[in-house]
Structures are given as C-alpha cells and as structure tokens.
Amino acid sequence: MRSTAPRNNKLKPSSNLIMNGSVRVRVIRTLLAIQNGQSLASVLDPLLNSLHDGDKGFAHALLLTTLRQWYALERLLDSLADNSIDEKEVRTTIQVGLTQLLYLQVADHAAIHETVEAAKEIEFAHATGLINAILRKVAKNPSKFRKKCDKKHSLPNWLAYQLKQDWSEQYDDLMQGLRQPAPMFLRVNTAVTSVEDYQQALVEFEVEADLVELTSGLQLDNSSDTAASNSILIKGLRLHQSTAVNALPQFAEGAASVQDMHAQLAAPLIHNALLNKLNVKNDDADGDMVTSNNEIRILDACAAPGGKLAHWLELISSNESSLFHVKQDDAEMSPVISKVKITAIDNEAPRIERIHTNLQRLNLSQHDLQQAEKNIELNIVCADATTWQGAGKKKSKLVFDAILLDSPCTATGVIRRHPDISILRTEEDVEQTALLQADILHNLWPQLKVGGYLLYVTCSILKQENVEQMQDFMTHYNNVVAIEFSDDCNWGIEQAIGRQCLPIDSESGDGFYYALLQKTAE
C-alpha cells in the first residue's frame, strides 16, 4: 500500500546519513534522520549494511523497539528530567538508553556505559552527566518504569485522540496492539504450488508456519448463481518467527511472496466481483456482450510495489477456465473472453521499477505471460491517478470492467511494520490525503463501465480516509451502489460502507479498509 509522503521541508537525502562509530551511535543517527523527515525504509538498509553480521540483530531490535515506544519513552523522559531537555540529540540518546533497560533487557552497566559513550561520540559530552543520572535512576527499578511506560499509548496525541474518536470500543486494545511487532505472512503462488504443500516445504526448511484462512462473501446481484458461488476462501501462512526470504523454499523462483494477511483479501475480492460481472452479462439474453472484441480491461491504480497486482495475475493465470469461459448451464462452458488487458499505474518511476522486479521474480512479467501463452496483456504505466485517462484520445471514456484502487493513505494501519509513521505523519497530512483520495476517485469513476466494480482499499485505520471518504463519494454520484459483505466474513468490522480491519491481535493482519462499489448507470 502506498502512503503519502510527509510534508516536511527538512527532508535530507539518505546519502547524508553518517554510518560510523559504535552500534548505538549509528542507531542514534538513524533516529535523528527519521526525525528530520527520512523514512525508515530509506535508512534501515544503510544502517544494517554498515554493520558486521553479529551486530545487525541488536541494531535492528534497538531501532525498531525505540520507534515503537517513541512517544511513551518521550513522556517518561519528561517525567524524569528536572528541567526541559530541548536538544534533540540528547533526548534521542536517552530514549535509546531507556529502550535497552526497559525493553531489550540489556545489562544495566552495558546499557548505561555504552549510551553515555555514544553521547560523547556524537559530540554531546556536556550531557553525559544528565544521561547517566536518568538511566541509573531507571535501572534501579526498571519494572516500575516499564509499567509506567506501558500504561498509555505510544502515539502522537493528535493521532491517539482521533483513534479514540473513531474506535472508542477498541481503543485500549488498539493502542497496545500498535506497539507490538507485526507477524510475517506469506502468500503462496497457487499457480505454482498449493498452500498446504508449501507449508510442508517450510517444515523441511525448519521454518514453522500456521495455516490462516479468511472467509468472505459478497452480496452480488446474480440471480443465476448460488450464494456459495460468491463465497471466497483465502489461505495464507503465518510464520512463527520472521525469517529472511532467502531462507524460504523456492522464494527466488516465485513460489511465495511476503504479504500481510489482510492485504491478501484485495485480489480475491475484486476478482470474484469481476467473475460475477461476466456471469451476469452472459446470462442476460437481452444484454450486450461483456466488451467489444470479447476483451475485458482491468485497472490496478496506485499499483506499486505490485503485491496485489501479482496476486491478481496469479488468480487469473491459475483460473483461466473460469475467467475465459463463463458457465451457461450445467452442461456447457461457453467461451466469452478472448483476452484480459491489465493496466497498472503508479506515479513514481522508482516504484514502477519495483513492480517490474517483483513480477519478474514471480514469472508474471509480460514476457513471461507471452511465453506461457496466456491470453493476458499487461501494461505498466508511470502516471498520475488524479489525471490519467485510460481511453487516451478515444471518444468513449468507459474503459474498465474492474478497478482495484489501492489508494494513497497515511498508512496508520501498518504502524506495527513501519513505526516511523507515527513520527512522520502530521494531523494536516490526514486532510491532504483525504483530498488526494477524492481526486483519484473522481478521476477513475467515470472510466468504469456500467456494471463494473471498483474496490477501494487503504491501509489506514482513520475513518476520514475510509468509510467517511466512501460516504462523501457516494453523495456526488447517483450511479453507484456499495456492495455489502456477507455475514460469514471472519475478518474486519462492518462499517456503514465496507469493512475495517484493526491491528489489535498479535497474530492477525494489519489495519486495512475495503469497500466495493458498483456502477449502475452512465
């Protein structure tokens, strides 16, 4: 899921990040870079690549844990200091020391001594007395201060307040859930192997994983189908411990991908809706064919880094019979579709490259699809979703049978994986992001064919970007209906429109929102 960039005029290129000195010094400098506007994604690799293998695990744990507990540590620090500490470098150094004492169980003498030495290395020796005094005070009774730190949330106050407004019943659990590491999930490429077989392959590689099943259903208008035909079962694997991808069987060959379990809902939902559209059209004797030339066109908007696109391609590739042949009755399968034309867009060239890289690993590039003689045409375009027109200069603007809009958002639902988000996001970002989302929706909706579906997805847990966005959107159009999810869904919380997943359970997926819209007329 793509997040919007923080609006920070002090952004610095990651190449300016100095990576020398002790492990703690490098972590402190990395934290300072994040406070200056750089993302964790841009600075994590430079940090880890600068270290010996034996130090990487500790550095990673120290950095991520400090970020997850950032605001709780700040409040604890303010309560411990007699006077206000204004120097960012000093505050950051103390917070790194507190993380070691309260969350990483580093020996007292090592945590205090090495943190004080780190302050000298970054040329803040004048603060060593203060740093030493605060850390020694905490070291005398760490359980007391850990409880104090854990008592409330570890988010900026504006975000905590908004989440309390949005999720009052779930607030306490949500506040604690966002402070925990997220589990690692795998999506198995069912065009290559089954989920069960891959789970067994993991056992042979001494990687333990649990099978996770998400069930869903869509209340689609299809009188010719049974309710069961609209039922969706998504199978994924949750690893007991996060594992390097090079330790996973056949990962390089495309047998599996790392993808959050709730993110794995996107492709099956829009794919199921698309199949329903084809069935309805084919069963309507008075209706037109699905498209001219027996082609269907689908769009993945804001597609980078390509996880959901790859999943959709896997479904199309492994289920060609159901997509290219639509059931007429119990006795025959009638060919309806000759080709699927897929367009994927994103507005940043480096992100487009990531799509290509991911698809190549999964053997799903356009070249791979042609070699496998798939009736699939894939076109990846660098374009702005607020203005891009899929029809080009053609007269008809009604282009797509289905649209997957993985909308830009504040990414508050993935704070467990990207704890820098709580530092980088501002209250103003939410408003600006909601406006951007609306611009994209208003540009894409006119390009959807009558009867077509648009799946709106975010990895946000803020209602302004999700259900409230949908409610506002539907006030602008009289040709849109929100498709309800069936009662047998075992994921998310039902909303006035769509469903919302919250990252509360330490074993479940991230915070994703889903809403499925159908166009009823031009």
Side-chain angles (χ1 to χ4, degrees):
M1 168 64 230
R2 178 175 179 196
S3 62
T4 54
R7 289 155 184 81
N8 191 318
N9 295 325
K10 297 181 180 179
L11 291 174
K12 299 178 182 179
S14 57
S15 59
N16 286 352
L17 189 58
I18 300 173
M19 283 301 171
N20 56 29
S22 68
V23 174
R24 290 166 178 80
V25 164
R26 298 181 199 209
V27 170
I28 290 167
R29 286 177 174 152
T30 303
L31 288 166
L32 291 170
I34 291 171
Q35 292 172 76
N36 283 338
Q38 292 184 41
S39 69
L40 175 62
S42 70
V43 296
L44 182 57
D45 282 347
L47 168 64
L48 298 180
N49 292 338
S50 74
L51 295 169
H52 297 297
D53 289 345
D55 293 328
K56 290 181 179 181
F58 174 69
H60 187 270
L62 182 56
L63 175 63
L64 271 291
T65 306
T66 304
L67 286 171
R68 288 193 179 101
Q69 313 303 333
W70 186 262
Y71 287 95
L73 291 171
E74 277 208 328
R75 288 190 289 273
L76 177 61
L77 172 56
D78 289 337
S79 71
L80 291 168
D82 294 331
N83 299 303
S84 175
I85 302 174
D86 298 324
E87 293 173 306
K88 182 167 53 177
E89 294 83 356
V90 176
R91 294 184 66 89
T92 302
T93 301
I94 297 174
Q95 286 177 240
V96 166
L98 292 173
T99 297
Q100 297 170 70
L101 293 171
L102 301 181
Y103 292 98
L104 298 185
Q105 286 75 53
V106 176
D108 295 356
H109 65 278
I112 297 171
H113 174 75
E114 294 298 331
T115 303
V116 169
E117 290 301 307
K120 297 176 183 177
E121 284 190 64
I122 62 171
E123 299 181 356
F124 278 80
H126 65 275
T128 55
L130 173 65
I131 296 170
N132 183 71
I134 290 177
L135 295 183
R136 285 190 177 279
K137 182 177 182 179
V138 171
K140 289 179 180 179
N141 196 344
S143 60
K144 168 190 170 182
F145 292 105
R146 169 70 184 262
K147 288 179 181 178
K148 187 175 182 179
C149 212
D150 289 346
K151 189 175 181 179
K152 296 183 180 180
H153 62 82
S154 187
L155 293 173
N157 287 329
W158 71 266
L159 180 54
Y161 174 80
Q162 189 57 57
L163 290 176
K164 191 166 188 177
Q165 296 296 111
D166 287 351
W167 306 106
S168 58
E169 292 183 15
Q170 299 85 7
Y171 177 76
D172 289 338
D173 290 337
L174 184 58
M175 290 302 96
Q176 293 305 312
L178 287 173
R179 300 172 71 167
Q180 307 305 316
M184 180 175 176
F185 293 96
L186 298 181
R187 182 188 82 243
V188 177
N189 184 351
T190 55
V192 175
T193 184
S194 70
V195 177
E196 291 78 7
D197 285 347
Y198 194 79
Q199 184 180 23
Q200 183 58 42
L202 287 174
V203 172
E204 296 172 5
F205 274 66
E206 298 183 347
V207 177
E208 295 183 279
D210 295 324
L211 176 66
V212 180
E213 295 184 340
L214 298 181
T215 58
S216 189
L218 300 169
Q219 297 185 19
L220 301 170
D221 182 15
N222 189 346
S223 58
S224 68
D225 273 349
T226 64
S229 67
N230 290 329
S231 179
I232 306 168
L233 175 63
I234 299 102
K235 295 181 178 181
L237 295 173
R238 179 181 60 239
L239 303 189
H240 289 191
Q241 291 185 333
S242 294
T243 304
V245 294
N246 58 14
L248 301 175
Q250 293 185 291
F251 187 86
E253 291 75 26
S257 297
V258 177
Q259 187 178 40
D260 181 75
M261 198 63 216
H262 289 153
Q264 294 184 40
L265 287 160
L269 288 173
I270 189 62
H271 189 69
N272 185 269
L274 176 61
L275 291 177
N276 178 78
K277 178 182 188 295
L278 302 185
N279 277 318
V280 169
K281 285 293 185 180
N282 197 52
D283 288 333
D284 184 0
D286 298 323
D288 296 330
M289 292 297 290
V290 178
T291 65
S292 61
N293 300 320
N294 292 343
E295 296 177 346
I296 61 170
R297 296 189 62 180
I298 59 182
L299 172 67
D300 185 347
C302 310
K308 298 179 183 67
L309 172 63
H311 194 185
W312 202 354
L313 284 168
E314 290 169 7
L315 293 175
I316 294 172
S317 299
S318 62
N319 292 290
E320 278 196 356
S321 60
S322 63
L323 184 58
F324 290 90
H325 298 80
V326 179
K327 192 173 184 180
Q328 290 270 32
D329 53 43
D330 291 337
E332 64 176 309
M333 297 289 284
S334 175
V336 172
I337 303 304
S338 63
K339 178 175 285 189
V340 178
K341 292 187 175 181
I342 304 174
T343 303
I345 66 172
D346 203 273
N347 69 342
E348 296 179 11
R351 292 171 61 81
I352 291 289
E353 285 303 312
R354 288 191 64 191
I355 297 177
H356 286 294
T357 299
N358 288 331
L359 293 184
Q360 286 169 2
R361 182 183 66 83
L362 295 165
N363 302 309
L364 290 170
S365 68
Q366 180 59 57
H367 174 74
D368 294 319
L369 296 171
Q370 289 175 336
Q371 290 290 103
E373 298 183 348
K374 303 289 186 181
N375 295 323
I376 303 169
E377 180 181 309
L378 174 62
N379 187 27
I380 302 174
V381 181
C382 188
D384 185 344
T386 64
T387 57
W388 178 79
Q389 295 293 311
K393 296 181 179 179
K394 294 180 181 179
K395 183 177 180 180
S396 175
K397 298 290 186 182
L398 302 176
V399 179
F400 298 106
D401 295 276
I403 297 174
L404 169 58
L405 172 53
D406 194 6
S407 182
C409 68
T410 54
T412 46
V414 293
I415 284 177
R416 296 185 305 174
R417 300 185 192 280
H418 306 282
D420 57 315
I421 287 170
S422 62
I423 294 176
L424 296 176
R425 295 293 175 266
T426 67
E427 194 168 3
E428 292 74 23
D429 286 334
V430 182
E431 182 67 33
Q432 292 301 314
T433 300
L435 293 173
L436 174 61
Q437 293 170 335
D439 287 344
I440 294 173
L441 282 163
H442 291 308
N443 180 53
L444 296 183
W445 186 252
Q447 302 183 54
L448 184 66
K449 293 179 181 178
V450 176
Y453 294 92
L454 184 149
L455 181 65
Y456 178 81
V457 186
T458 79
C459 60
S460 171
I461 51 177
L462 295 173
K463 290 190 176 183
Q464 185 175 351
E465 300 174 82
N466 298 335
V467 61
E468 292 174 7
Q469 180 71 264
M470 290 292 93
Q471 290 172 318
D472 180 71
F473 175 75
M474 292 186 70
T475 64
H476 289 82
Y477 296 91
N478 58 11
N479 64 347
V480 56
V481 61
I483 303 298
E484 294 184 9
F485 292 91
S486 60
D487 295 335
D488 62 350
C489 289
N490 67 348
W491 57 273
I493 302 169
E494 183 180 7
Q495 302 293 285
I497 300 173
R499 293 184 75 87
Q500 177 74 59
C501 303
L502 294 178
I504 292 175
D505 186 344
S506 62
E507 295 186 345
S508 68
D510 288 329
F512 276 83
Y513 173 79
Y514 287 94
L516 182 64
L517 308 178
Q518 184 177 29
K519 180 178 279 190
T520 58
E522 289 191 32

